[in-house]
Amino acid sequence: MNSDLNNLSEYVTPDIEKRQLIDKLLPGTVFHSKKQLFAEEIVLKQMEMHDVCYPAEKGIQLIKICPKCGRKYPNYENFCFDCDVKLKDVEDVNVKNIEICHEFTCKGSNAFEEFTDILTQENIIKINEFQFEMSDFDRIIKAIRSKALKNLDNAIKENEISLDDLTILEKVILFTKSFVDVEYKSYGAELGYYSFNKIHVDDRQLDSLQITTMLHELTHFLNKEILTHILCHLLDASKTREMESVIAFILSFSSENCLIDEYAAHTVEGRFTLFGYQDYSSFLSIQNTIERTDDEIEMLKTIANSLANVIKGIIESFIDDELLSDIKVQFRKDILDDPNYAQLKLENCTLLNDEGLLRAIQFVLLEGFAAASQNVGKLMELNEMW
């Protein structure tokens, strides 16, 4: 991978927005970006608009809901003005207990259910040829985003959920469940972890830490999901558990790939965390196992930052400026420690352009696929864990 990393340097571009924010924060001064202030303005304006639009409902408890559009009404109303359907009583919903069907499928001519059928010389050639364009990549990202949005919409309708009644944490739980299962742990020191299409979160923790933990672990899921879709495209294959196991192996077989996956998760988490509260300890523990030059480490971080930038775009389809502002307010309520901007020096502020990103993905898949073909026993172990 050494030469591959060096060859990527010609495709690097600056991550200007990130660089400007960090440069202003590193001296230690508290800084609110224009975007943050604009988001807070939006929240206030929306609150004012809500009051203006429904003046007659001020002080009146809204306990009925339209099962079609979700609009809430006071007890004396029986039908929705807009949908002309009978209203139902609003019921308390425990978001933690909701199960959302969120299968992300890929359809292809091949349905590989044996590793010997996947790990062939013919398929290695297909990955090496890499008949894959940025339009294919964009199509995959759009499909994942659209499916998750549909999952969320269905969950809201089926469970008659009023988003306005949910806490900030409950909103993030709900949207995370639109991608992947969320389970809860009450032991161990770690805040959470991702494994085999499940996110495990310690619900003893503060709300803000649960939120950022879910976003961190969701990034691991989306890294796996995006690469699985790309591999399915390259091999003209349907998504099977075996295909997912190959990608799970690729993301974990080398310290370099572990570093890319972990740094991407930290970067996405940082987008929704107040500056000064980042924690890169898990990334640093991986970095300490890698004997690479500083330039090579930075290129691995650039690959990760580029993937994180894509995943951040997916998540921002769900977490808009208003919810982002709410999350940061929640963080200020929960966290009493002073911010420490020193860890921001670990931030990578460069991105790969489109061609560079595709080349990096090809390198990761090709090297990992070759290693997987030599570790069928490990793949079979992984396959039993889904």
Side-chain angles (χ1 to χ4, degrees):
M1 195 186 226
N2 287 351
S3 60
D4 294 335
L5 287 176
N6 294 332
N7 290 338
L8 287 174
S9 58
E10 63 182 287
Y11 305 106
V12 169
T13 61
D15 191 341
I16 297 173
E17 180 183 0
K18 190 175 181 182
R19 180 75 271 165
Q20 288 176 340
L21 281 174
I22 292 172
D23 285 344
K24 291 180 180 180
L25 284 164
L26 279 177
T29 57
V30 178
F31 171 77
H32 295 277
S33 70
K34 291 181 179 178
K35 191 171 184 179
Q36 287 173 304
L37 294 173
F38 180 66
E40 293 171 2
E41 273 185 32
I42 289 177
V43 175
L44 292 173
K45 287 180 179 178
Q46 287 178 336
M47 291 172 63
E48 291 169 0
M49 287 174 63
H50 181 81
D51 289 343
V52 172
C53 291
Y54 304 100
E57 294 176 356
K58 279 188 175 181
I60 297 177
Q61 190 175 13
L62 306 180
I63 62 174
K64 289 186 178 180
I65 189 169
C66 172
K68 188 173 182 180
C69 71
R71 183 176 177 182
K72 294 169 69 175
Y73 290 86
N75 188 47
Y76 55 77
E77 297 291 352
N78 295 310
F79 292 90
C80 177
F81 302 147
D82 299 320
C83 306
D84 197 28
V85 298
K86 189 174 181 179
L87 301 175
K88 300 182 67 174
D89 291 337
V90 174
E91 297 181 5
D92 291 333
V93 178
N94 188 340
V95 173
K96 290 175 65 173
N97 295 332
I98 291 177
E99 294 185 3
I100 300 178
C101 180
H102 42 57
E103 184 179 1
F104 295 86
T105 60
C106 299
K107 298 296 182 183
S109 301
N110 304 300
F112 297 125
E113 295 183 348
E114 298 290 338
F115 292 115
T116 52
D117 295 330
I118 300 174
L119 304 168
T120 64
Q121 187 62 35
E122 179 185 358
N123 285 339
I124 290 178
I125 292 172
K126 288 180 179 179
I127 297 174
N128 191 49
E129 292 175 345
F130 207 71
Q131 299 298 312
F132 189 79
E133 304 292 337
M134 201 63 198
S135 58
D136 300 315
F137 184 82
D138 292 339
R139 196 175 302 115
I140 286 172
I141 300 303
K142 182 179 179 181
I144 292 172
R145 181 192 290 114
S146 298
K147 181 64 169 66
L149 285 167
K150 185 176 181 180
N151 295 341
L152 178 63
D153 187 54
N154 289 339
I156 290 171
K157 290 179 179 177
E158 290 170 6
N159 295 279
E160 299 173 4
I161 296 171
S162 171
L163 291 176
D164 291 339
D165 292 338
L166 299 182
T167 66
I168 300 165
L169 174 60
E170 287 173 333
K171 289 177 183 178
V172 177
I173 292 173
L174 186 65
F175 113 77
T176 303
K177 284 189 171 187
S178 301
F179 289 93
V180 63
D181 290 337
V182 177
E183 297 185 355
Y184 302 93
K185 59 187 282 293
S186 56
Y187 58 88
E190 56 190 350
L191 296 176
Y193 60 93
Y194 163 77
S195 64
F196 305 101
N197 292 342
K198 285 186 176 64
I199 289 175
H200 302 262
V201 179
D202 190 338
D203 57 0
R204 299 171 299 174
Q205 298 295 329
L206 297 168
D207 285 8
S208 56
L209 294 181
Q210 291 185 58
I211 289 169
T212 53
T213 297
M214 275 188 287
L215 298 179
H216 180 107
E217 305 307 333
L218 178 59
T219 303
H220 289 308
F221 166 78
L222 286 171
N223 270 333
K224 184 275 303 178
E225 196 64 29
I226 291 168
L227 291 180
T228 300
H229 282 244
I230 294 173
L231 185 62
C232 286
H233 177 96
L234 292 171
L235 306 186
D236 188 19
S238 296
K239 180 180 168 185
T240 61
R241 190 171 64 180
E242 286 72 20
M243 293 287 282
E244 287 188 277
S245 292
V246 170
I247 294 299
F249 174 85
I250 289 174
L251 284 170
S252 62
F253 89 98
S254 72
S255 295
E256 286 83 356
N257 285 358
C258 288
L259 184 142
I260 290 171
D261 193 26
E262 189 64 20
Y263 190 80
H266 277 299
T267 300
V268 172
E269 175 189 348
R271 169 68 179 87
F272 304 95
T273 306
L274 289 176
F275 277 126
Y277 296 96
Q278 284 69 28
D279 179 9
Y280 283 90
S281 55
S282 57
F283 159 77
L284 289 172
S285 66
I286 297 172
Q287 181 179 322
N288 291 336
T289 68
I290 301 176
E291 294 184 3
R292 293 279 189 175
T293 66
D294 291 344
D295 287 344
E296 288 170 342
I297 291 293
E298 280 306 311
M299 183 55 69
L300 291 171
K301 290 165 67 176
T302 296
I303 296 172
N305 191 42
S306 302
L307 288 170
N309 198 50
V310 173
I311 292 171
K312 178 170 68 73
I314 296 175
I315 293 177
E316 285 176 341
S317 298
F318 297 80
I319 298 182
D320 57 13
D321 283 337
E322 180 179 352
L323 183 52
L324 175 59
S325 180
D326 289 342
I327 290 172
K328 291 182 176 181
V329 169
Q330 182 69 52
F331 216 96
R332 291 188 187 99
K333 289 179 181 177
D334 290 345
I335 307 299
L336 300 178
D337 296 336
D338 292 332
N340 179 1
Y341 299 112
Q343 296 244 334
L344 289 178
K345 294 178 181 178
L346 296 171
E347 291 281 356
N348 174 278
C349 295
T350 54
L351 296 167
L352 293 171
N353 62 20
D354 289 351
E355 184 177 355
L357 177 59
L358 295 185
R359 283 178 177 266
I361 291 172
Q362 181 187 13
F363 298 154
V364 169
L365 289 179
L366 190 59
E367 185 180 53
F369 201 84
S373 65
Q374 304 298 317
N375 289 274
V376 176
K378 178 62 176 177
L379 289 171
M380 294 178 70
E381 290 178 14
L382 289 173
N383 212 40
E384 294 300 317
M385 297 180 184
W386 294 98

